């Protein structure tokens, strides 16, 4: 199944990174439409009237919204290429459980860390610790949560690596310490080395610069 | 695929109702383990150490947690019987989008209505209105969001009908008015008339009684 594929997003958005990685893994050519709150604002409102949020995948002019809904759609529509889901139903359920856990717990805690909320660092470390403890169970000794190749759970977590690293760099501390979380550290290295990921993953320096710009915008210096 | 199936939950929980309906639709026999915070507390902690929440499906002694993960697992493991998902990938994506929307918006707003939070009634009505407007698009003129038979999106929404009706009865108002939301009203009637649903759906009277008991427990009369 081919057709015209467009993605509405920004280069900084972890959620937009998810379909971008999935499309790269499936070797699907797509047009990346940026500036969703400026020049492409009307597209965003037309295609995601409920949330008015990115990412939005536009496949043959039909919109699909919500990042994990989009990546599951990509898996359904382009079944050829690497499978993004384990074959066994129980393994699929475990992957779905952790995908939901990441969205439920990791993003709020990372946002909290950025805002300096009390307890947020501990919460983020707990999330990473849970994932460290469950890496072997999911990967069964292979390279990724999904097995030999990157899958949906890897994408769900991996998209937060740029923000995590930028946060660590700005705060001068580790949210996941390779000495304490060796499985996750090894996984992160392999994930970032994959061609499908390399193409979309911004450098830590670029994310730090963006983070500082955001901070200055929302916390202007007093006159 | 058979095996021993147990479900940890309570009769009042909308989230436990989801796998119960799905198992009934697939004609899977299961043991319903209640009292998860009392006599079955150790089972809950063993099988859902991350959240310690119901429902938990225990299939051949392996746990699956989170209601929508469980119902997708049920669909994957017992593919015979009625299909709980649309066949077309785009229709599946639309169903997944609304399933996520219900969990994201409906439960918090219904809880807010119960607590008398300002704006919660309007929020719940908006959710139902969005679903009313999208019923035709999902059902394509058929009986359910899923088409001819009940599917995952029907289950995701339908499990909130007992709480919705009890809330309406207690407050003496309508959260979805049949005159303004005829599609949803017709759908609710058909959903509740299905044998798989009838077996698990408590009466409005029973839910009202339970709601009043909860209210008295958390708001004791002053001495």
């Amino acid at each position: 199944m081919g057709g015209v594929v467009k993605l509405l997003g920004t280069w900084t958005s972890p959620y937009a990174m998810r379909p971008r990685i999935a499309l790269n893994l499936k070797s699907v050519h797509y047009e990346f439409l940026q500036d969703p709150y400026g020049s492409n604002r009307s597209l965003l409102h037309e295609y995601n009237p409920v949330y008015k949020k990115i990412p939005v995948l536009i496949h043959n002019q039909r919109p699909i919204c919500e990042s994990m809904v989009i990546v599951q759609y990509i898996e359904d529509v382009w079944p050829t290429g690497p499978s993004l889901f384990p074959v066994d139903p129980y393994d699929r359920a475990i992957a779905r459980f952790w995908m939901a856990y990441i969205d439920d717990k990791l993003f709020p805690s990372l946002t909290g860390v950025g805002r300096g909320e009390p307890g947020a660092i501990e919460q983020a470390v707990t999330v990473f610790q849970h994932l460290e403890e469950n890496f072997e169970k999911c990967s069964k000794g292979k390279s990724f949560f999904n097995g030999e190749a990157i899958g949906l759970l890897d994408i769900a977590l991996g998209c937060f690596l740029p923000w995590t690293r930028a946060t660590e760099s700005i705060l001068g501390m580790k949210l996941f310490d390779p000495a304490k979380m060796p499985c996750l550290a090894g996984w992160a290295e392999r994930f970032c080395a994959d061609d499908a990921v390399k193409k979309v993953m911004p450098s830590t320096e670029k994310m730090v610069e963006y983070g500082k710009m955001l901070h200055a915008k929302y916390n202007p210096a007093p006159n």
Side-chain angles (χ1 to χ4, degrees), chain A residues 138-205:
Chain A
C138 291
S139 69
K140 299 178 179 166
K142 294 179 180 163
S143 296
F144 297 101
F145 282 98
N146 190 53
E148 287 301 359
I150 288 174
L152 293 186
L153 176 52
D154 300 284
I155 293 172
L157 179 61
C159 72
F160 289 112
L161 286 171
W163 275 109
T164 302
R165 289 178 166 166
T167 305
E168 289 178 334
S169 169
I170 291 170
L171 299 182
M173 50 83 72
K174 286 278 172 202
L175 289 172
F176 73 88
D177 183 344
K180 289 183 191 156
M181 303 188 201
C183 294
L184 223 50
W187 164 83
E189 205 167 300
R190 290 186 293 277
F191 182 80
C192 293
D194 192 286
D195 278 341
V197 176
K198 266 197 277 189
K199 284 181 197 163
V200 304
M201 192 71 97
S203 69
T204 303
E205 293 68 35

Side-chain angles (χ1 to χ4, degrees), chain A residues 80-98:
Chain A
T80 53
S83 171
L84 304 183
F85 245 142
V87 174
D88 179 78
Y90 189 75
D91 295 339
R92 292 165 85 95
I94 298 299
R96 284 199 177 102
F97 174 84
W98 290 110

Side-chain angles (χ1 to χ4, degrees), chain A residues 1 5 21 28 36 58 62 79 107 111 114-115 126 132 136 175 180 199 210 213:
Chain A
M1 191 167 177
V5 182
I21 294 171
V28 175
I58 308 158
R62 294 196 298 183
F107 183 69
T111 310
R115 288 182 186 147
T126 301
E132 170 76 15
E136 285 300 320
L175 289 172
K180 289 183 191 156
K199 284 181 197 163
Y210 180 75
M213 186 277 284

